[in-house]
Amino acid sequence: MPIATVNPANGETLKTYEAMDEEEIERRLQLAEATFRTYRTTGFADRARLLTKAADLLDADQQETGRMLTTEMGKPIKQARAEVAKCAKAMRWYAENAEALLADEEPADTDVKDSGAARVRVRYRPLGPVLAVMPWNFPLWQVVRFAAPALMAGNVGLLKHASNVPLTALYLEDLFHRAGFPEGCFQTLLIGSAQVDDVLRDERVRAATLTGSEPAGRAVASTAGEMIKKTVLELGGSDPYVVMPSADLDRAAEVAVTARVQNNGQSCIAAKRFIVHTDVYDAFAEKFVAAMRALRVGDPMDEDTDVGPLASEQGRDDLEELVDDATRSGASALCGGHRLRRPELPGWYYPPTVLAGVTREMRIHREEAFGPVATLYRASDLDEAVLIANDSPFGLSSNVWTRDEAEVDRFVRDLEAGSVFVNGMTASHPAFPFGGIKRSGYGRELSGHGIREFCNITTVWQGA
């Protein structure tokens, strides 16, 4: 895949880049290692000052940067600006909280005495250069949620971004440079996927984090395992959205639309499988389908657009194949279901679609639909709702709508997911851990859990 910016709204190639050669990669690896030796000794106050400056620059760049995100991957412009603001918020959160999150821990006095020590501390120390392999769907946010905690912990970052968002990748390197971070603290590697393995095998790279597809996760985890290197993986998701009889149906249906089509439906944590109790299934389906049908599909630069194009032609084709497989096998499209063919929209558009009658034999039941396509399921009771929700290879997040506290307890206990959102849609926040189980990956990003993932947790034992 070429490293190029291609506008998904019209298919126009705007800029193409050559992949870095071995000499340039080596230069950047040397710089990362050399920078880490000194940057690791800086204090939290200095790191926080630099990260806050980066946040200030992001705020100042919001309009221009938002347009860049929309141009590269097609998200509606309002959502692009919101992504920029979210990144600045996360930077400030880590600037303000990292020192406390990584403060030395003192074990109980009785345990210290029992060990024969005069003093014992647990200290969090940085690991070194961390390779981040990042996707295109939230091209700024998914990098920042790695970079902000990593830099505050004293690590340095090497970014291998998706090949279709090179402008964003280069912008991020420049952003941290303008903020005053030492040269080498954060570097972009303009390389193809085939070059990742060699970089990860390099002994100067101490760990890796990947957000992306299952195959990409397997490849990185396999190499990292062979090299005995720490990894954090955030892979796909096919999140359930369960609606029970006690739910506020109007609100549940309204939020369901946003939960499904945010980012043009290209979000790992977007709700994808809507599991509705039979007592309220018809009423919910009517509201949900009407709202999905009413969404405005159009130019992502238009402030009134709800759903823009998919990020790539291949992504649109893959989604179309999933829907076609389902309808050929007996599912019915309550709205959408066919590729948009409008001369004023020459890009990679697919309409908001709701499928009913989905069965376990259909590909869309097991595979992630990365676009504005929802599947509706009918559940006879809570037990069946849980069974359907867990009948997935993924376990990233989940959504439950009920006003019955006993049902809340059951869902929290039994749903196989990294998060359970009750009466609301899944969203990430810098203070809360984020990640999944099963084929959605392992490890956690954000919060204190995320900043400690790439730390050397060191026991310091001192005798009398």
Side-chain angles (χ1 to χ4, degrees):
M1 181 178 181
I3 301 174
T5 295
V6 181
N7 187 341
N10 55 27
E12 180 184 358
T13 299
L14 301 177
K15 193 163 187 179
T16 301
Y17 297 83
E18 291 294 326
M20 292 176 177
D21 58 23
E22 292 183 6
E23 182 179 350
E24 178 61 15
I25 294 171
E26 172 61 23
R27 186 188 73 80
R28 288 176 178 251
L29 288 171
Q30 288 181 10
L31 180 58
E33 182 184 41
T35 301
F36 173 66
R37 293 195 196 106
T38 54
Y39 182 70
R40 66 188 297 274
T41 65
T42 60
F44 284 107
D46 288 336
R47 298 173 199 167
R49 175 180 52 79
L50 295 172
L51 195 59
T52 300
K53 177 60 176 178
D56 293 342
L57 290 171
L58 264 182
D59 283 338
D61 294 347
Q62 186 184 43
Q63 297 296 324
E64 180 182 351
T65 304
R67 291 183 65 85
M68 177 183 67
L69 302 185
T70 295
T71 297
E72 287 210 299
M73 60 73 54
K75 69 174 72 232
I77 187 64
K78 288 181 180 179
Q79 295 178 32
R81 291 195 297 265
E83 181 175 341
V84 178
K86 184 174 184 176
C87 290
K89 175 181 177 178
M91 287 178 172
R92 292 192 176 94
W93 190 88
Y94 272 108
E96 294 166 3
N97 292 284
E99 184 171 11
L101 294 172
L102 297 180
D104 288 358
E105 297 175 6
E106 302 271 354
D109 289 343
T110 54
D111 293 326
V112 173
K113 291 177 182 178
D114 185 59
S115 75
R119 186 185 182 192
V120 177
R121 289 165 289 158
V122 177
R123 174 161 290 182
Y124 295 94
R125 298 187 294 160
L127 288 179
V130 179
L131 174 65
V133 182
M134 293 287 112
W136 47 261
N137 56 334
F138 290 92
L140 206 67
W141 166 243
Q142 285 169 314
V143 177
V144 166
R145 76 183 189 195
F146 144 74
L151 291 170
M152 283 304 301
N155 295 303
V156 301
L158 294 162
L159 170 64
K160 189 286 180 211
H161 217 325
S163 294
N164 60 331
V165 289
L167 291 177
T168 304
L170 293 170
Y171 169 80
L172 282 158
E173 180 179 86
D174 182 63
L175 174 72
F176 290 112
H177 176 74
R178 286 189 290 141
F181 281 91
E183 185 182 10
C185 267
F186 186 94
Q187 299 180 84
T188 284
L189 303 179
L190 283 184
I191 59 176
S193 298
Q195 296 169 279
V196 170
D197 191 73
D198 287 342
V199 174
L200 184 53
R201 289 180 182 277
D202 193 287
E203 291 186 358
R204 290 164 291 192
V205 175
R206 300 298 180 86
T209 180
L210 177 141
T211 299
S213 69
E214 209 177 315
R218 284 198 188 99
V220 165
S222 177
T223 297
E226 182 182 342
M227 303 303 294
I228 321 296
K229 294 183 180 183
K230 175 70 179 289
T231 54
V232 170
L233 303 181
E234 193 265 279
L235 308 178
S238 190
D239 292 359
Y241 189 103
V242 181
V243 181
M244 298 298 287
S246 65
D248 179 339
L249 285 190
D250 288 334
R251 181 64 178 155
E254 177 187 2
V255 173
V257 175
T258 304
R260 184 62 202 99
V261 303
Q262 60 176 317
N263 208 44
N264 303 334
Q266 301 165 122
S267 170
C268 295
I269 58 170
K272 299 182 177 78
R273 297 177 296 129
F274 295 81
I275 303 160
V276 186
H277 191 285
T278 188
D279 290 352
V280 292
Y281 178 92
D282 292 337
F284 176 86
E286 182 180 1
K287 297 174 187 292
F288 181 48
V289 172
M292 288 283 280
R293 187 181 288 121
L295 292 170
R296 179 174 177 179
V297 180
D299 181 354
M301 288 294 185
D302 188 328
E303 296 284 346
D304 294 325
T305 290
D306 298 310
V307 179
L310 298 190
S312 70
E313 186 174 18
Q314 185 63 56
R316 194 264 310 275
D317 292 346
D318 291 344
L319 186 67
E320 187 175 40
E321 286 179 13
L322 281 181
V323 174
D324 289 349
D325 172 78
T327 54
R328 282 195 306 267
S329 301
S332 57
L334 305 183
C335 66
H338 298 283
R339 180 189 300 194
L340 279 180
R341 301 187 187 277
R342 288 161 51 183
E344 76 276 18
L345 298 177
W348 303 312
Y349 291 87
Y350 198 87
T353 296
V354 179
L355 298 178
V358 173
T359 64
R360 299 187 78 251
E361 293 72 30
M362 298 173 187
R363 287 178 53 200
I364 201 166
H365 178 76
R366 307 294 295 174
E367 300 178 30
E368 181 178 20
F370 220 56
V373 175
T375 52
L376 269 177
Y377 297 81
R378 187 189 297 266
S380 59
D381 55 23
L382 184 149
D383 290 333
E384 187 176 19
V386 170
L387 285 173
I388 297 171
N390 289 341
D391 187 24
S392 169
F394 301 107
L396 191 53
S397 187
S398 59
N399 308 258
V400 175
W401 287 78
T402 176
R403 288 182 278 202
D404 184 322
E405 284 301 317
E407 290 180 347
V408 171
D409 290 342
R410 277 287 311 281
F411 283 118
V412 171
R413 185 193 74 182
D414 293 341
L415 287 177
E416 297 170 352
S419 304
V420 181
F421 279 69
V422 181
N423 297 330
M425 61 175 272
T426 298
S428 54
H429 185 283
F432 309 140
F434 179 84
I437 59 172
K438 301 197 287 188
R439 293 188 189 176
S440 289
Y442 53 74
R444 291 295 180 266
E445 296 178 286
L446 302 177
S447 76
H449 297 278
I451 197 171
R452 297 184 195 110
E453 286 281 8
F454 296 117
C455 287
N456 174 6
I457 305 172
T458 309
T459 298
V460 182
W461 187 99
Q462 291 179 258

